[in-house]
Amino acid sequence: MRILGLLLVLLLGISGCSARQFYIDHGYVRLAAAPGRPAVAYFTLHGGPTDTTLVAVHSEFSLRTELHQSMTSGGMAAMKPLDQVALPAGGKVAFKPGGMHVMLFGLNPVIKPGKTMTLQFTFADGNRYDYDALVIAPGDPAPKF
């Protein structure tokens, strides 16, 4: 009987933790193929219990970063900068090749494939989150997560 009561308490505790929490995963940085060109960061944002808005991604290893959206118009590939990206509560927003991504300009040459680099995500509500993204070489396939 005592064990049954303990199991009930544990189950109630676990069910109380079922609210979705914000997190970041599948993050990586692809180095530039040519010197002087920007590197690119990809990742997936998973929304927490409330809507939020991503306003910036920074790295101490980059002089400048920009949120971008890739698109095709009239058979031509193009990019446009984004001021912000909405992340709905419980939703998912993927930054991936051919879509949204972060351009990392002036990347410090100490950053090498196989290492990680910290990306800092800033949201409109002032919250900041750090994520250690894997660094890959220009021609390497995307990591399997």
Side-chain angles (χ1 to χ4, degrees), residues 19-143:
R20 291 189 181 261
Q21 297 297 312
F22 168 85
Y23 66 98
I24 304 163
D25 65 3
H26 299 158
Y28 66 99
V29 172
R30 182 180 301 282
L31 296 176
R37 303 294 301 164
V40 184
Y42 304 108
F43 47 85
T44 302
L45 302 173
H46 298 267
T50 60
D51 294 346
T52 191
T53 303
L54 177 69
V55 294
V57 177
H58 296 285
S59 172
E60 66 179 301
F61 295 103
S62 179
L63 294 177
R64 186 178 92 232
T65 60
E66 294 179 7
L67 302 172
H68 278 199
Q69 170 71 53
S70 293
M71 65 194 88
T72 304
S73 178
M76 298 293 292
M79 284 188 291
K80 72 173 183 176
L82 300 170
D83 292 328
Q84 58 188 19
V85 176
L87 178 61
K92 180 168 81 168
V93 175
F95 281 63
K96 59 186 180 181
M100 288 185 286
H101 56 277
V102 176
M103 303 293 291
L104 301 157
F105 296 90
L107 197 63
N108 187 319
V110 302
I111 300 299
K112 302 288 184 200
K115 304 288 185 184
T116 61
M117 64 181 281
T118 302
L119 301 174
Q120 185 179 68
F121 295 76
T122 303
F123 291 84
D125 61 6
N127 283 322
R128 291 189 176 164
Y129 300 91
D130 288 346
Y131 179 84
D132 290 331
L134 177 66
V135 177
I136 65 170
D140 286 354

